[in-house]
Amino acid sequence: MAESTDDVSATLTLMASEVPITRSEPVVSNPDSAVDLALVRRAQAGDDQAFGQLVERNRRAVYRAAFAALGSAEDAEDVAQETFVAVYQKLQGFRGESAFRTWLLAIAWRKALDRRRSVTRWLRMTVTHDRADGDDRDLVEQMPDTSRTQEDVLSDEDLHRTVKRLIGTLPRKLRDALLLSGSGDYSYEQIGSMLDIPVGTVKWRVSEARRLLK
């Protein structure tokens, strides 16, 4: 592909997110983990409001992990709900040996994979990796940019479609790592926990996926 690496990276970010975000290094801060742990302890003691706060603090990360696996907003919402139900049921077993979000995302990813095993859904995602009806596309993506020519817009849309199509042809392991990394929401450690692989393997898969795309 002749387009710049920056253009491809921007397209990957759009694909992996339901809303545009400012890209930054995906690092989980210790204060956030400490707050989650405090809420977990309260929830384990029977405080339902504390569990509700855990849901609100982590809903976006769970949704976007599910969306990266499924490519469907509706399915991602369903998986997010199933995840928090499962977490509520399993919460007494959480011992704090890892960050709560890391533990939570591993459950979310397994739930997403269970749903993805449907052959029909898998084939549809492989071909398009996009929402079929287009009704729930990011509104920002649909807003016209008056400072750019129609040729510029068409060129970018063509690049976006091409990258989507190419990502759909990547091996599943490479594609999962690439989309999770491209979202900017997760550290390599969290991605490794979700995919059940070492951090070094995560980095290699992301690098190899980008190499194949370019």
Side-chain angles (χ1 to χ4, degrees), residues 4-17 20-21 23 141 156 159-160 163 182 210:
S4 70
T5 301
D6 287 344
D7 288 340
V8 174
S9 296
T11 302
L12 291 174
T13 301
L14 281 175
M15 287 187 61
S17 61
I21 60 172
R23 183 66 188 274
E141 293 183 52
D156 283 354
L159 172 61
H160 198 174
V163 173
R210 288 184 177 275

Side-chain angles (χ1 to χ4, degrees), residues 99-166:
F100 172 75
R101 179 169 290 191
T102 300
W103 179 74
L104 169 67
L105 290 173
I107 294 173
W109 189 256
R110 288 194 295 271
K111 292 287 184 184
L113 291 187
D114 287 343
R115 181 166 292 240
R116 193 170 73 178
R117 289 191 179 99
S118 163
V119 175
T120 300
R121 182 180 295 103
W122 169 246
L123 289 175
R124 183 170 67 247
M125 184 185 67
T126 302
V127 172
T128 65
H129 201 85
D130 197 6
R131 286 145 286 184
D133 55 15
D135 291 341
D136 54 348
R137 289 180 57 201
D138 192 321
L139 292 178
V140 175
E141 293 183 52
Q142 301 180 51
M143 293 175 61
D145 184 349
T146 56
S147 66
R148 306 171 69 225
T149 66
Q150 184 176 8
E151 289 76 13
D152 289 336
V153 173
L154 291 175
S155 177
D156 283 354
E157 289 179 350
D158 183 61
L159 172 61
H160 198 174
R161 285 192 297 270
T162 298
V163 173
K164 283 185 175 184
R165 177 178 57 79
L166 292 175

